[in-house]
Amino acid sequence: MSASSWLRRVPVSCRRFMGPAVLAGLSFMFPTAGNAAPVPDGPRRVLILHSFGQHFQPFADVATIFRTELAAHSAEPIDFVDVSLEGARLGDGIDDRPVGDYVRALAAQHPIDMVVAVGSPAFRFCLGYHDKYFPGVPVLGAGIDRRHMDGVDLGSHTTAVCVDIDLVQLLDGVLQVLPATRHVGVVIGNSPIEAYWAAELQRAWKPYGDRIDFDWYDGLTLTQIRERVAALPEHSAVVFTLLDVDGAGVPYEHNRALDAVHESSSAPVFGMFAPELGKGVVGGRLVDVQGVGEQSATTARRILDGESPDAIPPLTVPTLAPAYDWRELKRWGIDAALLPPGSDVRFRAPTALERYRGQVLLVAALVLIQALVIVLYATNRLRLKAARARLAASERSAQELRRELTHAGRVSLLGQFTASLAHELGQPLGAVLRNAEAAEIFLEGDAPDLDEVKDILRDVRLDGQRAGDVITRMRSLYGRHDVDVQPLAWVDVVSAVQAIVRHEARVRRIDIQVDTPPDLPAILGDRIHLQQVLLNLVANAMDAIDAAGADERLVTVRARATGDGFVECSVSDSGVGIDADQAVGIFEPFVTTKEKGMGMGLPISRAIVEVLGGRLWAESPPDRGATFCFTVPVCAREEQHA
């Protein structure tokens, strides 16, 4: 418990006799500086000496802002100690020197780096007892009334941040916005500090006595004050100054008292301090409490950083520019034209248009868009019908062109593998010829072996079927063919292509390796078109190997399930690879790296794969060659059974 809090619990009649007892107790609890053990270095310690207690407004706000700003912007931790004087608030000859002894005892335990006196009484106490209670410690006055600085010798250890409280300006501000005012109720408490300000107000407003009837509420309870402000005559105003203790000695928190007066008042309420704006006062040129706290923290940082107080001249924080509460102006019908030029009107309630600006703009935009849509719909209906007809014709033409290009690609590939086709047909036809010659030899004998002849004829029939299968397979690949999606076994597609290119690969001395997992699922696609895609990629791989002239001549065809409903097929070669410039447009029509190429093989292949629901892309492995990959969807189980 602080000394100020402890003293408040003691009856006023006993306090004046407690000085020796407090001194004795403090001497016992806190040894003197000479006997105290040294304390290790720690946070900077700042003593905040309050004039009227820690909760007396507006000085409590000044102290709070100062403490927050200094701690937030200090490079090292700050330890704050709050101590309150009692004499300025309680009067009756209270001697505050025991508080000074308490501070000196604290300093003996942990040195104080700075004293911040909040309010004029604490500041005067520091000036009078500086050398006795905290010699050599810099002192900063915070929120000091500028009038109290006249003729004051600050010495080398003291500076101040002052506040300009212009009482005449306060009343002039009321009369400017309420020029017809004839009666002013002055709300002020009954403590010694409030009695001081009541006297100052009466002195400052004395020249207005012939124009205004002042009603002073310093001797009334809060309940009586509420009754008086509720029954004010016409053309009245209320000036709320300080109400810390009412006429019955009951203490009140500043904002709570202001709320009570504002709730009961039948006339506009004006205040003195900026934090009151928005809490019931009309406004005016208010004291900048925030600025006083912030400027005091800035000055304190300079002193803690080593700057001497006498090198920092006292400064005065001016009152703020006129600011008003829009809600109070509307409540009391105050004309905004009477406000001082450049006034800041706050808490303005938005108009219906401002409040719902987004919704209004949205509705207007929707109406406009709807009107435009109606007009465009009426004018574009015929255009849409004609466009649909042209689009259908274009789609038919494009489909026919795709079929022709696909067919052209197959014809081109089959032309390249004519030798392979001849080789495939040569084997069964040669076997037929040899079996026929053997049959003739057996039949020319005296006793032909008919069983042997039957076996020979069966071989002839099988070889003929083999040749027919080759011709049928080539005819289906050669002819025009629409997409016929059905379940397929990948190994059948690969085997068909492998049979076509086997002879050509042998002539070119290229090894074709097929890697197909035994558990590869069935795929969903068109057999002929997939054979065309794979045949095109294998042919490109073989051409790339010839162009590279490498010793290792290998084409690898792999397939694997990706796990997301697709089978990925790849064709890798040991050729020259793909340059970065070539990879950009390699799938565009008429782009080719071959001397006699058309540049249509890869675009056609990509179109086929995309129609089947997959995709085709190229990769360039870091070690050698190129790899072309494409995906086809996996066939569902029910489709496999079907």
Side-chain angles (χ1 to χ4, degrees):
M1 181 183 298
S2 66
S4 59
S5 301
W6 178 72
L7 283 172
R8 287 197 192 99
R9 297 177 179 269
V10 181
V12 174
S13 59
C14 299
R15 291 177 186 169
R16 66 187 66 190
F17 305 107
M18 293 179 57
V22 171
L23 282 174
L26 290 174
S27 300
F28 175 78
M29 295 171 61
F30 303 100
T32 61
N35 298 328
V39 178
D41 293 337
R44 306 295 293 275
R45 175 163 289 194
V46 175
L47 171 68
I48 301 179
L49 188 61
H50 300 269
S51 294
F52 315 106
Q54 298 184 34
H55 305 289
F56 192 89
Q57 295 292 0
F59 299 102
D61 285 343
V62 171
T64 299
I65 296 168
F66 165 80
R67 184 185 292 106
T68 301
E69 290 294 318
L70 181 58
H73 298 92
S74 177
E76 53 190 348
I78 303 293
D79 186 8
F80 295 95
V81 179
D82 291 87
V83 176
S84 298
L85 299 178
E86 300 296 334
R89 180 179 179 183
L90 301 175
D92 295 336
I94 293 297
D95 187 359
D96 283 316
R97 285 178 295 178
V99 177
D101 293 321
Y102 170 67
V103 172
R104 182 167 55 187
L106 287 179
Q109 295 297 307
H110 193 301
I112 295 175
D113 297 286
M114 174 184 290
V115 176
V116 178
V118 181
S120 298
F123 187 61
R124 288 194 299 269
F125 179 84
C126 291
L127 292 176
Y129 295 101
H130 177 269
D131 294 339
K132 180 178 181 180
Y133 294 124
F134 22 82
V137 178
V139 175
L140 170 64
I144 310 304
D145 188 354
R146 179 176 54 83
R147 292 170 295 180
H148 294 166
M149 297 297 294
D150 296 338
V152 175
D153 182 13
L154 299 180
S156 61
H157 298 288
T158 307
T159 188
V161 175
C162 304
V163 61
D164 185 11
I165 302 178
D166 192 333
L167 302 180
V168 174
Q169 179 181 266
L170 171 62
L171 185 58
D172 287 342
V174 175
L175 298 178
Q176 181 171 359
V177 298
L178 295 175
T181 301
R182 296 292 179 267
H183 185 93
V184 173
V186 184
V187 179
I188 194 165
N190 199 34
S191 67
I193 180 60
E194 291 163 320
Y196 163 79
W197 279 108
E200 289 294 309
L201 288 168
Q202 292 172 3
R203 181 185 60 80
W205 292 351
K206 184 177 181 179
Y208 297 86
D210 57 347
R211 174 184 172 183
I212 298 175
D213 179 21
F214 292 100
D215 192 4
W216 302 89
Y217 303 148
D218 50 312
L220 304 180
T221 65
L222 179 58
T223 301
Q224 294 171 332
I225 293 174
R226 297 183 65 175
E227 293 173 353
R228 295 281 285 272
V229 298
L232 289 171
E234 190 178 3
H235 304 303
S236 295
V238 176
V239 176
F240 186 94
T241 57
L242 300 171
L243 185 52
D244 185 59
V245 179
D246 69 3
V250 178
Y252 288 97
E253 194 273 329
H254 184 83
N255 292 331
R256 181 180 176 186
L258 176 59
D259 289 341
V261 172
H262 174 260
E263 180 181 354
S264 303
S265 180
S266 60
V269 179
F270 293 82
M272 298 175 61
F273 306 104
E276 298 169 347
L277 189 64
K279 298 178 180 178
V281 302
V282 175
R285 296 182 180 273
L286 303 175
V287 175
D288 186 7
V289 175
Q290 180 76 24
V292 172
E294 293 177 350
Q295 189 59 55
S296 299
T298 300
T299 304
R301 286 200 304 273
R302 294 173 60 184
I303 295 174
L304 291 175
D305 289 341
E307 195 168 349
S308 177
D310 60 355
I312 307 175
L315 58 88
T316 300
V317 177
T319 55
L320 293 169
Y324 296 88
D325 189 331
W326 181 89
R327 299 166 297 183
E328 297 299 317
L329 297 178
K330 289 297 181 182
R331 176 186 179 186
W332 304 110
I334 299 175
D335 188 357
L338 297 175
L339 303 182
S343 295
D344 180 15
V345 180
R346 305 177 187 176
F347 313 107
R348 184 187 299 272
T351 63
L353 179 60
E354 293 173 338
R355 182 178 303 172
Y356 303 105
R357 178 182 180 87
Q359 293 88 329
V360 171
L361 292 177
L362 178 59
V363 171
L366 290 177
V367 172
L368 178 61
I369 292 174
Q370 186 176 17
L372 291 176
V373 168
I374 293 173
V375 173
L376 291 175
Y377 178 79
T379 57
N380 289 342
R381 187 173 179 82
L382 294 178
R383 295 181 184 179
L384 179 60
K385 186 176 181 179
R388 285 175 176 173
R390 291 194 298 270
L391 179 60
S394 299
E395 288 179 348
R396 288 193 296 269
S397 299
Q399 187 176 3
E400 183 63 26
L401 180 58
R402 284 196 297 268
R403 283 199 296 265
E404 292 296 331
L405 287 174
T406 303
H407 175 255
R410 290 200 295 271
V411 171
S412 176
L413 287 173
L414 290 174
Q416 297 180 33
F417 294 102
T418 302
S420 295
L421 296 179
H423 181 267
E424 290 293 323
L425 291 174
Q427 288 182 349
L429 292 178
V432 169
L433 180 59
R434 290 190 296 272
N435 285 326
E437 291 175 351
E440 288 180 354
I441 294 173
F442 277 108
L443 291 175
E444 289 177 355
D446 295 335
D449 188 348
L450 296 180
D451 292 334
E452 187 68 28
V453 172
K454 288 180 181 179
D455 292 338
I456 291 174
L457 291 177
R458 184 169 54 253
D459 292 339
V460 169
R461 179 172 56 81
L462 293 176
D463 290 333
Q465 288 178 350
R466 286 176 55 200
D469 290 341
V470 171
I471 293 173
T472 300
R473 183 169 64 247
M474 298 309 162
R475 174 185 283 176
S476 63
L477 188 59
Y478 182 78
R480 289 180 173 83
H481 180 74
D482 292 330
V483 177
D484 181 18
V485 178
Q486 57 183 327
L488 301 172
W490 170 252
V491 68
D492 294 341
V493 177
V494 176
S495 299
V497 174
Q498 194 174 13
I500 295 174
V501 302
R502 183 182 296 114
H503 178 73
E504 182 72 15
R506 187 180 301 115
V507 172
R508 296 193 191 186
R509 295 182 296 105
I510 296 175
D511 184 16
I512 298 179
Q513 294 183 358
V514 176
D515 181 8
T516 302
D519 57 347
L520 190 69
I523 60 176
L524 193 63
D526 182 285
R527 182 186 305 276
I528 301 303
H529 285 97
L530 286 178
Q531 289 176 0
Q532 181 178 354
V533 172
L534 185 57
L535 186 60
N536 185 40
L537 297 180
V538 172
N540 288 345
M542 295 171 65
D543 292 341
I545 292 175
D546 285 342
D551 294 335
E552 184 179 5
R553 304 171 68 80
L554 175 64
V555 174
T556 304
V557 180
R558 294 187 178 89
R560 66 177 182 86
T562 61
D564 56 353
F566 285 88
V567 169
E568 179 182 310
C569 314
S570 64
V571 178
S572 304
D573 62 68
S574 57
V576 294
I578 305 173
D579 294 337
D581 297 336
Q582 295 176 341
V584 175
I586 195 171
F587 292 101
E588 297 299 325
F590 308 112
V591 176
T592 180
T593 59
K594 302 178 184 178
E595 183 178 353
K596 297 182 180 180
M598 296 174 57
M600 293 303 297
L602 288 177
I604 291 173
S605 299
R606 183 175 64 176
I608 292 173
V609 171
E610 290 177 351
V611 167
L612 296 177
R615 64 187 186 96
L616 172 63
W617 70 96
E619 299 176 352
S620 183
D623 50 354
R624 61 175 184 177
T627 299
F628 286 82
C629 306
F630 66 93
T631 59
V632 288
V634 171
C635 179
R637 293 183 178 273
E638 55 270 17
E639 293 174 336
Q640 296 182 36
H641 295 313

